[in-house]
Amino acid sequence: MNTHYKNKEKIDKMQDAIIKAAIKVYAAKGMHGIRIADIAKEADVSYGLVYHYFKNKEDVLNAIFAKSINIFLRAIENAAVQEKSLEHKLNSITTFLFNACKEFPEFMYVIMFEVIWTPKFLETRNFMSFTRAFSTFEKILIEYREKGELKKSIDTTVSTYMFFGGLEMILTGIVIKAIPVEKTEMFQKLSNSFINQYINGIAASK
Amino acid sequence: MNTHYKNKEKIDKMQDAIIKAAIKVYAAKGMHGIRIADIAKEADVSYGLVYHYFKNKEDVLNAIFAKSINIFLRAIENAAVQEKSLEHKLNSITTFLFNACKEFPEFMYVIMFEVIWTPKFLETRNFMSFTRAFSTFEKILIEYREKGELKKSIDTTVSTYMFFGGLEMILTGIVIKAIPVEKTEMFQKLSNSFINQYINGIAASK
Amino acid sequence: MNTHYKNKEKIDKMQDAIIKAAIKVYAAKGMHGIRIADIAKEADVSYGLVYHYFKNKEDVLNAIFAKSINIFLRAIENAAVQEKSLEHKLNSITTFLFNACKEFPEFMYVIMFEVIWTPKFLETRNFMSFTRAFSTFEKILIEYREKGELKKSIDTTVSTYMFFGGLEMILTGIVIKAIPVEKTEMFQKLSNSFINQYINGIAASK
Amino acid sequence: MNTHYKNKEKIDKMQDAIIKAAIKVYAAKGMHGIRIADIAKEADVSYGLVYHYFKNKEDVLNAIFAKSINIFLRAIENAAVQEKSLEHKLNSITTFLFNACKEFPEFMYVIMFEVIWTPKFLETRNFMSFTRAFSTFEKILIEYREKGELKKSIDTTVSTYMFFGGLEMILTGIVIKAIPVEKTEMFQKLSNSFINQYINGIAASK
DNA sequence: AATGAATGAGTCTTCATTCAT
DNA sequence: TATGAATGAAGACTCATTCAT
């Protein structure tokens, strides 16, 4: 009865293993340097097998993107719905991403470097994911501006871009080790500095 | 008058034409999608000729980078030496880059998307260029913090990354037309919003 | 029975088939005229497949050499260890090579023309093979000179070079059909003439 | 009046300079490694100029051969017509070639390695030159055999091949420095050893 | 006569993808 | 399922040759 079900599980597990391997290779060789043969070797399967689980290379690439981008979106959307202060919401986003950097640096490397800025992804439906993330965030800002917690004068679009741009650059700095992070507490310090400065920049003056 | 001199000029002109074509192709196809044949076609020369002016593909890529990165560095270093207020300095950088977006969007596209974030460039001597830009900027912040114009508490590294990250993201938004800029004045408005929020975030409270 | 073993065999067989094809092409077009595409066509495989079995063109060329030179070395070293007269030893070498000419003329053509005299092979480790062959042969001469069977006055180095040079030239003559060999017996006659004259030239006078 | 004549001279001089350069390149890079650009650089002219003096690459190659082979032929044919003993004749040939090795090693390298054994040259009219050299030499042997100075039993074809083969191998040994020749007298010693052994091998027993 | 910029055919090599086992 | 042999399209690069100056 559930042979079928079991197979489905197996397929999912295999696909996941291949995507994980693909992300590693992606991190090491970049979007265009990535080769099916390398992915297969990293996943310790034959390259022929990759074609059982994915239609073609493009399909693997899309899977990498889909898996990666979700981490981002979920963090933001989770934050958006919380009944908390703006600072809490921002903190929830940054903490999540800083933790990801700490725990899956390779993964974040891929998000930071390859997935986000590859023109290919910006043009297609993938772009929508970012658009959604940005507009979800902007809505938070608008909400808090209307509550009077943020300056009336701020350009929420600019503020949104500054948030993601600034955060991304710091994460990148960490990932490429231009910003050294020896102790775990450092992550929290960086996160706090970032949020403080960011909120100071837009908060309504008391 | 001087044949030798003329030839040198011709060569420079040709190299420049090829780099320009290369940047266009780069903008359209990305770092790895770029093909010598396309560059040649774009420059309206045979692909064999590209090899008269450049040793190989790598050489062309490096030339693109060298040409691109300079725009960035010069803007920052020019700003650093001006005897003006912090706001003026930041404005000088942003204005320069916003103008570049307006006048050479393709060019900026390349800088934003390909050159800056390509792992290849982050590893080698090219990375130094960015390091230099970042540290030049950080020195400005430190200087003004010591003058008492900025909060003692700011982490200048975080602030530096936020500046470049935020600026880059906005420029990117413009370049990919996610941020629509119909009128030229818009550039100034965006620039002002950005600088205001940025300085508000770090300025010492009066 | 053992799949792994079978694969190894298959690989060896395929490599050998490609080398054989390569030798044919080599014989027809020479060291530099040889093209991977031609080898593939001769072996009746796609040129992509050549790269499954060999790293690159250089690798194929080296394989040709390795296969070719061995025929030579073995003949000489086998002869050296035989407990027989000098005449027998020389005969053993010449017979072996004459037979090779008869049975694998293309193969010998490659050895004679391309492998032996290609500067590329003279420079590297390949040269060592020849050095070894020559010095193995010279040791035989020295041994027989000390036994008193050869003139004390002979310069064994010159004699060694004369042996290989003379033999090579005759083999070449045969291979390019400048020396016509209609009947098999002719080989023995040529071989005898060569050895007689050679030994007469160096034998101690009775 | 003799402007025309002068031009002819100039042309000859230029052609010769280019061929000399070509031989150097030939010696360094071999038949197929040779490039017009290299020849031009070696001759210190533009590569375009090569096409003023030679129709194409093939033409240059042929010129190299023609110039090279003549050295060989003249030595042999001069020897043939001398009214001297066989030993004298052989000595005249070997001395000439050993001297060439001493004085123009690059030149001889080309003859030894590239020109002689390149299949291309063996097939066409160039082959005739060698055929002629060999048969001229064989006629000398036949003449002396009839005079009773050489064994009736020798196979003059084999003897001819042995002469050229042995001589070539020794010259090659010298050219590639496998046979070290520190002092000039060494050449004479090598030459003597060679001729002695050679003649011993074929001379009628007294 | 002389130069070297310009051309493009020819080759090597890589790698996604297919398919027999 | 799983393997890896086999295929061939695609692209970098070389170099003989032409031609405007």
Side-chain angles (χ1 to χ4, degrees), chain C residues 32 109 113-114 117 119 122 151 158-159 161-162 165 169-170 172-173 178-179 190 193-194 197-198 200-202, chain D residues 32 109 113-114 117 119 122 151 155 158-159 161-162 165 168-169 172-173 178-179 190 194 197-198 200-202:
Chain C
H32 296 271
Y109 181 95
F113 278 75
E114 298 291 341
W117 297 123
L122 288 169
K151 286 195 178 69
V158 167
S159 298
Y161 277 73
M162 283 176 75
M169 189 67 84
I170 293 168
T172 299
I179 302 177
L190 287 171
S193 292
F194 171 68
Q197 174 173 338
Y198 183 75
N200 275 340
I202 56 178
Chain D
H32 296 270
Y109 182 96
F113 278 73
E114 299 292 340
W117 297 125
L122 287 168
K151 285 195 179 69
D155 178 327
V158 168
S159 297
Y161 277 72
M162 282 176 76
E168 187 225 9
M169 189 67 84
T172 298
I179 303 177
L190 287 171
F194 172 67
Q197 174 173 338
Y198 184 75
N200 276 340
I202 56 178

Side-chain angles (χ1 to χ4, degrees), chain D residues 61 90 188 190 198:
Chain D
L61 256 26
L90 300 191
Q188 197 51 55
L190 287 171
Y198 184 75

Side-chain angles (χ1 to χ4, degrees), chain B residues 18-194:
Chain B
I18 291 172
I19 294 177
K20 261 186 197 139
I23 287 173
K24 266 197 177 169
V25 177
Y26 209 139
K29 311 219 174 178
M31 155 90 194
H32 296 270
I34 199 170
R35 283 175 308 168
I36 292 290
D38 291 334
I39 295 173
K41 188 180 277 180
E42 179 67 40
D44 205 36
V45 297
S46 71
Y47 51 86
L49 196 59
V50 175
Y51 287 89
H52 265 275
Y53 293 104
F54 298 90
K55 210 172 125 259
N56 52 26
K57 195 180 173 180
E58 172 107 7
D59 204 23
V60 178
L61 256 26
N62 286 341
I64 291 177
F65 178 78
K67 194 178 171 76
S68 304
I69 188 61
N70 258 333
I71 236 179
F72 222 65
L73 289 180
R74 250 181 302 140
I76 294 159
E77 289 180 351
N78 283 345
V81 297
Q82 289 164 15
E83 286 297 337
K84 299 201 174 162
S85 69
L86 177 61
E87 195 177 335
H88 258 99
K89 287 186 176 181
L90 301 191
N91 197 58
S92 147
I93 296 173
T94 58
T95 301
F96 181 85
L97 292 172
F98 277 122
N99 279 341
C101 272
K102 187 170 50 184
E103 284 171 43
F104 322 105
E106 244 154 16
F107 198 76
M108 286 304 284
Y109 183 95
V110 171
I111 297 181
M112 293 295 104
F113 279 72
E114 298 293 340
V115 175
I116 294 184
W117 297 122
T118 302
K120 170 180 159 26
F121 288 126
L122 286 170
E123 289 164 2
T124 59
R125 144 185 63 92
N126 298 309
F127 183 43
M128 293 299 129
S129 304
F130 277 106
T131 307
R132 213 173 80 206
F134 275 52
S135 85
T136 300
F137 187 88
E138 190 169 357
K139 274 184 205 128
I140 300 178
L141 293 185
I142 290 171
E143 180 196 330
Y144 279 87
R145 186 177 57 181
E146 279 166 11
K147 281 189 189 168
E149 295 188 21
L150 302 182
K151 286 194 179 70
K152 287 283 171 245
S153 61
I154 64 167
D155 177 328
T156 51
T157 301
V158 167
S159 298
T160 299
Y161 277 72
M162 282 177 74
F163 180 79
F164 286 115
L167 180 54
E168 188 225 8
M169 189 67 84
I170 294 168
L171 291 169
T172 299
I174 294 169
V175 165
I176 68 174
K177 297 182 180 149
I179 303 177
V181 181
E182 287 112 20
K183 299 186 188 170
T184 301
E185 303 94 75
M186 272 293 288
F187 283 114
Q188 198 52 54
K189 268 189 69 178
L190 287 172
S191 174
N192 288 343
S193 293
F194 173 67

